[in-house]
Amino acid sequence: MFGKGSKLYSIFNSKCPRCHEGDFFKYKLNFNPKKVTELHENCPKCNLKYMMEPSFFFGAMYVNYAIAVALFVAVFIIAKMFIGLSILQSFIAIIVVSLLFTPITLRLSRIIWINFFVSYNKDAEKLQAEK
Ligand SMILES: [Zn+2]
């Protein structure tokens, strides 16, 4: 399920959605807000243009929102039910965790978003080589 060829492989390894070979992000996960979401312009392997149209990744905001809500709920349940924090403490935990996870959710939302539109093609690299 997590092997090459599945969308999850692309998402969790930050690989190009088409060839699953090239890197999607320019930099490794970091806390620099400018660098953390910076993408390669094209896939270094199959040359897929990541920014498929202007402001393509605007839509990733919806994905980011969904991830953020899921994260809020998860942190709240863990903090309140399992650790037994008060409501106020649980909200503080939510804020801290979501700040810490921001670089991850931003990146995840982008790569999930592009995976809605681009499917794996095992010949993508070959096609590019023939050009
Ligand atoms: Zn590629």
Side-chain angles (χ1 to χ4, degrees):
M1 189 179 170
F2 289 94
K4 213 170 148 190
S6 93
K7 290 193 183 295
L8 291 173
Y9 179 88
S10 158
I11 290 167
F12 289 108
N13 293 292
S14 299
K15 292 295 181 190
C16 163
R18 190 166 72 180
C19 66
H20 289 188
E21 287 283 337
D23 288 327
F24 187 65
F25 296 103
K26 245 185 188 163
Y27 305 98
K28 285 200 156 58
L29 186 63
N30 62 74
F31 278 93
N32 182 328
K34 267 193 161 163
K35 282 185 172 177
V36 74
T37 57
E38 204 166 318
L39 311 173
H40 288 287
E41 226 160 89
N42 297 81
C43 170
K45 292 277 180 179
C46 74
N47 210 29
L48 172 72
K49 191 167 179 251
Y50 288 150
M51 195 78 159
M52 295 197 282
E53 49 192 71
S55 63
F56 172 69
F57 286 103
F58 185 78
M61 280 191 355
Y62 301 111
V63 181
N64 192 42
Y65 180 74
I67 297 173
V69 170
L71 190 66
F72 287 179
V73 173
V75 173
F76 186 76
I77 289 173
I78 292 168
K80 188 81 179 69
M81 312 259 191
F82 291 94
I83 309 177
L85 299 181
S86 70
I87 298 274
L88 181 65
Q89 288 168 326
S90 304
F91 277 113
I92 294 169
I94 288 173
I95 293 166
V96 171
V97 172
S98 30
L99 282 177
L100 284 175
F101 274 70
T102 300
I104 298 171
T105 56
L106 282 177
R107 286 162 76 103
L108 269 181
S109 61
R110 283 177 170 237
I111 197 146
I112 290 172
W113 183 248
I114 198 169
N115 263 289
F116 282 141
F117 299 93
V118 183
S119 294
Y120 177 62
N121 179 348
K122 66 176 170 16
D123 298 320
E125 214 179 327
K126 232 186 291 167
L127 287 172
Q128 189 51 35
E130 280 164 12
K131 260 189 198 162

